[in-house]
Amino acid sequence: MWHDLLQTLSFQSGYNTTLVLTSTIVLGMACGVIGSFIYLRKRAMLSDTVSHATLPGVALGFMAAVMFDLNDGRHLPTLLAGAALTALLGGLCVQWIKTNTRLNEDVAIGSVLSVFYGGGIVLLSVIQRMQAGSKAGLETFLLGQVSGLTQNESWTIMIAAVIVIIAAVILFKELTLICFDSLYARSTGQPLLKLDVTLLALMIIVVCIGLKTVGLVLIVALLIIPAVTARFWTNNIAFLVVLASIFGALSCYIGAALSATLPNLPTGGMIVLSAASFFTLSFIFAPNRGLLSSLIGARHA
Amino acid sequence: MPAPLSVKNLSVHYHLQDEPALSSVDYEATPGHLTAIIGPNGAGKSTFLKAVMGLIPYTGEVKVFGKQLKDQKQKIAYMPQRSSVDWDFPISALDVAAMGLYGKIGFMRRVTKQHKTEALSYLDQVGMADYADRQIGQLSGGQQQRVFLARTLAQNADLYFMDEPLAGVDITTEKIIISILEKLKKDGKTILVVHHDLQSVGNFFDDALLLNRIKIVEGPTKQVLTPDNLAKAYKTPVLTDVA
Amino acid sequence: MLDEFLQIDLPAILVAVLASIACALLGSFLVLRKQALMGDALSHVVLPGIAVGFLLSGHINPLYMMGGALAACLASVLLINMIKTWGKIEPGAAMGIVFTTMFALGIVLLETKIGSKVHLDAQHALYGALELTYWPDPGNLSTLPHQILTLGAILILITIFIFLFFKELKITSFDPVLATTMGFKTSHLNAALMTLVALTAVASFEAAGSIIVIAMFICPAATARMLCDNLKSQLYVAAMFGALSGLLGYILAALMPLWLGFEHSLSASGMIAVTAGFFQMIAMLFAPKYGALKS
C-alpha cells in the first residue's frame, strides 16, 4: 500500500494516473487563485450556492444528451454546459433577491441553494426512474471520483484551469480594487458590474471543472479553505494569491493521490480533509492571527 | 467655462423606503471653491455625493464640467467614508495609494516600479511615506484617513468629493488634511466636502450647502450659517457662534 | 391501497410536516437574526456526528447517533466562533470552512468503515430518505415510527421555548445591542436557540435528509418575512407555509406521478424543497406590501 502511494505521489503510476493527478493539481491552483478573490470579496457562501445550483443543470444536460443520443447521456461537455447554465441562473437569482426584496443576502444564498439542489434531486430521481435500474453515473458529480476521469476530461480540466488562472492574473489589479473598495472602484469609472460578473464566471468555470473530481457538495471548500489558510501567513494580496494556489495544489495532490491508491476513499472528501489539515496547522501556529500567538498575546496584554 | 458641477432637480429614493432621501435639489458649484456640505444626521449629505457620482440611482440631471459624468470620470476623485472598507484587507498603504493611479495606468495593465514611486510621493505629501509597507489595518484612524487622501490626490482630478474626511481624526491629521485642501484650492481645484462640525465650517470653507432631504440654502458660508437657516435644517434652534 | 397509504405515505407526510414546522419556526428567528446559513451549515455537520456516534456505540443506536450529531453541531458552532474571533476571519468563510470539513469527514468515515454496516449512508445525506419511514402496523401506536415521536417532542419543546421566551427572543432578534444594554443575556438565549436548531437539524436530518432541513430553515421563514411585519404573524405564517410545503411537496412527488399513471414516484425531499421555493418566489414577486411586482 505504501509502495503504491509513493509511486502515485512521485508520478510513477503510469501515464493515465499521472495525467489525472496533474489535472487535479492544476485545478487546485485555479481554485486557490479564484478562491482568494471570492473570499476577499466576501462571496464565500455564494460559491456554495453556485456549486449546488449546478445539480439541476447536470441532470438537464444528461436528459438533453440522451435525447440527442450523445454517448448514452454521459457526454461531459453537455453536462458541464447545463451545469454552468443553472449555476449562472442561481447566482443571478441571489443577486435579484438581494436587490429587489427585503430579504438579506444570507437568506437569498440559502434559499437559492436549497431550492436548486432540491430541484436537481427531483430531476435525478426522474432520470433514475427513466433508466429503470441502470445507473446514470451522475452520483460521482456529488462527491467526486478521480478514478473515473478519462484522458480527454483531464486535458479539458487542465486547459480550463490554466485559462482561469491567466484571466485572474491579467485582471489582478482590477479584481483587487473591487474586492477592497467597490464604491471607490465605481467612482473611478471601473466597470464594477462587468468585473463582478467576470469573477462569477471564473468561479462557475472552476466549480464546473471541479465537479468530476471534487464534487459539487465540497468544491466550495477548495475555494475557501486554501485562501483563508493563506490569509494566516501574509498581509500582501499578491503573495496571498500565490500561497492559496500552492495550498490548493498541495491539497489536491495529497487528496487525489490517497484516493487513487487506497480503496473506497472518496476523492472530494480526501482533498477537503487535506486542505483542512493545512488550515488547522495554520490556524494554530501562524504568527499574529494564529491561536497560539493570540493566546500568548492575550496573556501578555 | 461650464460649472464644475451642476445639479438640476436631483432626487434619490432608496429602495423600500417610504420617504425620498433627497428631493429636487438644484445646485451649482463655484469653480476653485472649497464647499462644505452640512446638515443633520440622515439629511442626505453622503447620498448627495454618491448620487452626483452616479454610485446610486437618482432622477434629475447632473453635469460635470458641462458634460455627462460618465465621460468625465478622469476629472473627478472621490474619498469615501472611513467605514466603507474592510480594514483587515491584505493590502499595504502604498498599494492603496497606487489605486489612485489605476485610471491613468489603464485597464489590465501592470503597476510598475515608476507607478509605485509616484504613489510614494503622494504618501509623502500626507506624511505617510514612512508607513508605506504597513498593512492598512495596522494604522491609526487618522493615518488611514491620510492614506485615503493620498489615493485621492493620486487621481489628480479637477473636482474632488470627500465624505467626512475630518471625522474622528487626530490633530496632526486634521492639520495635514486642511493644508492639502488649501493647496488643492490654490491649484484651482473645486472641492466638495461633507462636514459634520458646524463650529469649524466658517474657518476653512468658502461656501456651504445646507441640506435636510431638500436643499435648505447654498452660498458663501457666512450667509448660509444664519440662525434662521440652521433652525430650518435642524428643526430646533442651534446655538452657534459662527453666525 | 389504503394500507399502503397508512403504512408508507401517512408516516412520511407526518415526518415531513412536523420537520417542516419545527424548522420554519426556528428558521424565522435565524432569518431575522441574519443567521440563516447556520441551519444550512449544521445540517451538513450532522453527518460526521452520526458516524462517530456509531463508531462509539458499535451498533445502530439512535440515542448515540443523535448524541454524536448534537455534539458535532455544538462543536461546530464553537469552532466557527473561534475562527471568527481568534483568526479574524469573516463569518461566511469561517462557517464555510467548518461545515465543509465536517461534512468531508463524515463522507470519508461513512464510505470507508461503517458505510456498509449503517443503514445511513452518504446517499441518505445527499438525497434524503423520507420514503424510508415505515409504519408496520397502522393504528397501533406502539409501532409508530420513532422519527414521528422524536419530531413531535421537538416541536412541542420549540413551541414551549418560544412561548416562554417570546419577549426576549423578540428584542434580541430585533435589536441585539439594545437588548444587551437593557440587561438581557443575549449570549445565553443565542446558545439556547442554537441548541434547539442543532437538535431540530439532527432529528429532521435523520428522518428526512439534509435537503429538507436546509430548505425549511430558510424558505418558509423568508416567505413569511415577505408577507408579515410582526413577529407573531411571522411565526404563524412560516409554520403554515412549512406545513403546506411538506404536504404538497410529498403529494406532488410521491402520489401525483402514480395518479397520472406513471410507474414510479419522484424524490419527495427534493420536491418539498422546490415547493417551498415556489411559495417563496410567489411571495417575493406578489406580496401585497413588499413584493417586487406590487402594483
Side-chain angles (χ1 to χ4, degrees), chain C residues 70-121:
Chain C
L70 197 59
C73 285
L74 298 179
S76 298
V77 174
L78 280 179
L79 270 176
I80 291 171
N81 276 326
M82 270 170 69
I83 295 174
K84 267 196 312 206
T85 41
W86 296 111
K88 301 180 204 84
I89 300 300
E90 55 118 359
M95 198 186 281
I97 292 169
V98 172
F99 88 77
T100 52
T101 303
M102 292 292 246
F103 191 75
L105 188 67
I107 291 289
V108 170
L109 282 175
L110 284 179
E111 293 275 311
T112 50
K113 280 219 167 127
I114 38 191
S116 48
K117 292 181 212 148
V118 198
H119 198 54
L120 220 137
D121 54 11

Side-chain angles (χ1 to χ4, degrees), chain B residues 3-68:
Chain B
L5 175 71
S6 110
V7 173
K8 284 205 186 84
N9 202 18
L10 177 89
S11 300
V12 176
H13 203 144
Y14 281 115
H15 190 56
L16 299 175
Q17 276 187 4
D18 293 336
E19 298 294 316
L22 277 177
S23 309
S24 329
V25 176
D26 291 317
Y27 174 73
E28 196 157 288
T30 319
H33 274 214
L34 180 56
T35 305
I37 301 173
I38 50 178
N41 282 333
K45 304 182 295 274
S46 298
T47 301
F48 178 77
L49 283 195
K50 287 178 189 165
V52 297
M53 281 182 291
L55 299 177
I56 49 174
Y58 63 88
T59 57
E61 190 190 87
V62 176
K63 287 261 166 77
V64 174
F65 294 106
K67 288 188 195 149
Q68 293 293 321

Side-chain angles (χ1 to χ4, degrees), chain A residues 22-31 33-34 154-168 202 205-206 209:
Chain A
T22 314
S23 78
T24 313
I25 291 171
V26 181
L27 168 73
M29 288 178 69
C31 282
V33 171
I34 294 302
S154 296
W155 280 112
T156 313
I157 291 173
M158 227 182 307
I159 292 166
V162 169
I163 291 174
V164 167
I165 294 172
I166 292 173
L202 294 176
I205 294 174
V206 290
I209 59 174

Side-chain angles (χ1 to χ4, degrees), chain A residues 40 42 99-100 102 169-170 173-174 177 179-181 183-184 186-189 231 235-237 289, chain B residues 15-16 54-55 73 78 85-86 88-91 99-100 102 106-111 136 138 151 155:
Chain A
L40 292 173
K42 302 195 169 36
T99 45
N100 290 291
R102 67 192 312 211
V169 170
I170 291 176
K173 171 166 114 298
E174 283 73 20
L177 183 60
C179 290
F180 175 60
D181 196 345
L183 200 65
Y184 173 79
R186 269 180 60 206
S187 81
T188 61
R231 184 68 188 93
N235 272 329
N236 176 323
I237 181 165
R289 291 167 186 267
Chain B
H15 190 56
L16 299 175
L55 299 177
K73 293 268 181 177
Y78 171 47
V85 302
D86 167 15
D88 194 39
F89 201 88
I91 200 168
M99 283 178 173
Y102 281 12
F107 196 65
M108 302 209 299
R109 300 270 172 87
R110 311 263 81 176
V111 180
I136 39 144
Q138 293 165 1
R151 179 177 74 173
Q155 283 183 255

Side-chain angles (χ1 to χ4, degrees), chain C residues 220-268:
Chain C
T223 313
R225 182 93 185 92
M226 293 305 302
L227 297 168
C228 310
D229 270 329
N230 85 53
L231 185 57
K232 227 172 233 164
S233 51
Q234 159 84 35
L235 289 170
Y236 283 122
V237 173
M240 191 192 78
F241 276 107
L244 206 60
S245 312
L247 181 67
L248 206 65
Y250 187 86
I251 292 175
L252 282 175
L255 303 177
M256 193 73 124
L258 305 183
W259 295 341
L260 291 177
F262 293 99
E263 244 177 277
H264 302 281
S265 54
L266 300 174
S267 160

Side-chain angles (χ1 to χ4, degrees), chain A residues 232-283:
Chain A
F232 278 92
W233 299 100
T234 177
N235 272 329
N236 176 323
I237 181 165
F239 197 43
L240 181 134
V241 173
V242 173
L243 263 185
S245 75
I246 293 174
F247 282 126
L250 278 178
S251 311
C252 283
Y253 171 58
I254 297 170
L258 280 172
S259 146
T261 329
L262 308 173
N264 288 332
L265 284 180
T267 314
M270 291 313 291
I271 289 178
V272 174
L273 289 184
S274 313
S277 321
F278 289 118
F279 170 78
T280 310
L281 290 176
S282 307
F283 180 46

